[in-house]
């Protein structure tokens, strides 16, 4: 048995009594481990001759799912960190410090859904890195939200649990932009993420921010203001189907499962 499989077995046995009776909608500890590794793989950065990966991972859970871990959270976080460290060693990835896994509660998540945010942060005990391979300066990535594919009440094992990534988009004038960063700026300038050719739109008019598993739209002190579903607001939480109006342009916000 490989080291990774050994750690997986430890995670499974640690929570076997709690999750042996779990329904498909419950978050499974082993699935958290595997999705954390997926986020590590997805956020690799090449710098000269080295492959850097994030060293800080924040897991967002619904209040109900977080409660299930209450008696085991510290042990679980330790096992998840060991799992990430072993994967990095096996793949010869470079981390700026030993991996750190944090757990947060997000009221916007349903039972069985969870989000993962990654960050490349300078740790207090950085790993030695050769001078020829300087660490890249990378902004945090968007929080990836995972949902159960088939929520029902049938009992399943962690191996049988399937999850899919959620995709958030903005659509306007026949165009669509997938939100892949924590901050997406909308405006008339060529330097923004979503350029809107509208004379009534300011150069940097508004931005969509991802905070945990929720999305917010924030007006950037624009000349003509920002409306959400017809109401002029400085800041508002976004729901699927909400319409953001900047100038005379309407952008529709959507969240969909992405497979």
């Amino acid at each position: 048995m490989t080291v990774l499989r050994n750690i997986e077995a430890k995670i499974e046995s640690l929570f076997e009594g709690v999750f042996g009776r779990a329904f498909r909608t419950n978050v499974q500890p082993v699935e958290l481990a595997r999705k954390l590794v997926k986020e590590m793989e997805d956020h690799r950065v090449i710098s000269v001759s080295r492959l850097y990966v994030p060293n800080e991972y924040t897991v967002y859970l619904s209040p109900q799912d977080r409660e299930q871990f209450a008696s085991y959270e510290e042990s679980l976080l330790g096992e998840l960190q060991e799992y990430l460290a072993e994967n990095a060693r096996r793949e010869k990835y470079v981390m700026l410090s030993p991996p750190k896994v944090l757990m947060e509660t997000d009221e916007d998540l349903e039972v069985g859904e969870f989000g993962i945010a990654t960050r490349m942060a300078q740790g207090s005990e950085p790993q030695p890195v050769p001078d020829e391979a300087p660490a890249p300066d990378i902004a945090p990535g968007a929080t990836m939200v995972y949902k159960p594919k088939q929520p029902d009440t049938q009992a399943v094992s962690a191996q049988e649990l399937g999850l899919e990534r959620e995709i958030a988009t903005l659509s306007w004038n026949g165009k669509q932009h997938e939100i892949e960063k924590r901050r997406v700026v909308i405006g008339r300038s060529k330097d923004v993420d979503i350029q809107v050719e509208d004379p009534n739109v300011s150069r940097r008019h508004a931005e969509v921010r991802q905070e945990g598993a929720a999305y917010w739209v924030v007006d950037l002190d624009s000349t003509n203001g920002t409306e959400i579903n017809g109401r002029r607001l400085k800041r508002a939480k976004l729901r699927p189907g909400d319409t953001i109006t900047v100038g005379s342009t309407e952008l529709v916000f959507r969240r969909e499962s992405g497979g």
Side-chain angles (χ1 to χ4, degrees):
M1 183 180 286
T2 66
V3 177
L4 283 177
R5 286 296 301 154
N6 250 324
I7 301 173
E8 281 191 14
K10 288 170 65 179
I11 293 173
E12 286 179 323
S13 62
L14 181 63
F15 299 94
E16 188 174 14
V18 176
F19 290 94
R21 302 181 301 276
F23 294 114
R24 187 181 294 274
T25 50
N26 292 128
V27 171
Q28 302 281 346
V30 170
E31 196 60 40
L32 285 179
R34 292 171 183 170
K35 293 304 181 185
L36 283 166
V37 166
K38 180 182 184 301
E39 291 303 313
M40 172 185 283
E41 300 286 343
D42 288 349
H43 291 89
R44 293 174 298 177
V45 177
I46 299 175
S47 179
V48 190
S49 60
R50 299 275 168 165
L51 269 175
Y52 287 87
V53 291
N55 57 331
E56 187 173 297
Y57 300 77
T58 303
V59 176
Y60 296 92
L61 295 167
S62 70
Q64 298 92 325
D65 279 319
R66 180 81 183 276
E67 179 64 24
Q68 293 183 98
F69 296 113
S71 302
Y72 312 89
E73 187 172 305
E74 186 176 348
S75 297
L76 174 60
L77 294 178
E79 296 291 351
L80 293 175
Q81 288 168 174
E82 184 182 352
Y83 192 74
L84 288 171
E86 177 56 33
N87 187 73
R89 281 193 293 269
R90 187 181 68 170
E91 300 296 336
K92 294 182 171 55
Y93 296 148
V94 176
M95 308 178 87
L96 299 182
S97 68
K100 183 176 183 181
V101 180
L102 308 171
M103 197 169 280
E104 300 286 349
T105 302
D106 194 314
E107 300 283 347
D108 292 294
L109 289 171
E110 300 292 335
V111 174
E113 298 177 358
F114 62 91
I116 299 176
T118 64
R119 195 163 75 99
M120 195 176 292
Q122 189 69 47
S124 57
E125 298 178 4
Q127 292 184 350
V129 179
D131 293 338
E132 69 270 20
D137 184 14
I138 301 298
T143 303
M144 305 302 351
V145 179
Y146 294 93
K147 293 185 174 184
K149 287 183 178 179
Q150 298 175 346
D152 57 35
T153 57
Q154 178 184 358
V156 292
S157 67
Q159 287 76 11
E160 295 171 314
L161 186 69
L163 296 173
E164 53 190 359
R165 183 172 69 90
E166 182 184 73
I167 296 173
T169 61
L170 287 171
S171 303
W172 76 103
N173 298 337
K175 302 177 182 178
Q176 186 179 82
H177 179 89
E178 182 178 340
I179 300 173
E180 297 180 313
K181 302 192 299 183
R182 291 191 183 177
R183 294 172 181 257
V184 172
V185 179
I186 305 166
R188 203 177 70 251
S189 171
K190 293 181 179 180
D191 299 326
V192 299
D193 301 291
I194 297 179
Q195 185 181 14
V196 178
E197 297 178 358
D198 183 334
N200 296 312
V201 172
S202 299
R203 291 178 59 79
R204 295 175 61 85
H205 195 106
E207 71 177 13
V208 172
R209 300 177 184 173
Q210 186 178 20
E211 300 177 4
Y215 290 85
W216 297 74
V217 61
V218 180
D219 184 77
L220 299 178
D221 296 322
S222 64
T223 302
N224 296 316
T226 301
E227 293 183 1
I228 296 84
N229 299 327
R231 295 180 58 196
R232 184 162 176 169
L233 299 169
K234 289 289 293 181
R235 174 183 168 92
K237 193 174 188 177
L238 291 171
R239 304 288 184 185
D242 281 352
T243 298
I244 304 168
T245 303
V246 293
S248 57
T249 302
E250 293 186 347
L251 301 94
V252 179
F253 174 76
R254 293 188 177 88
R255 299 177 75 165
E256 302 170 347
S257 297

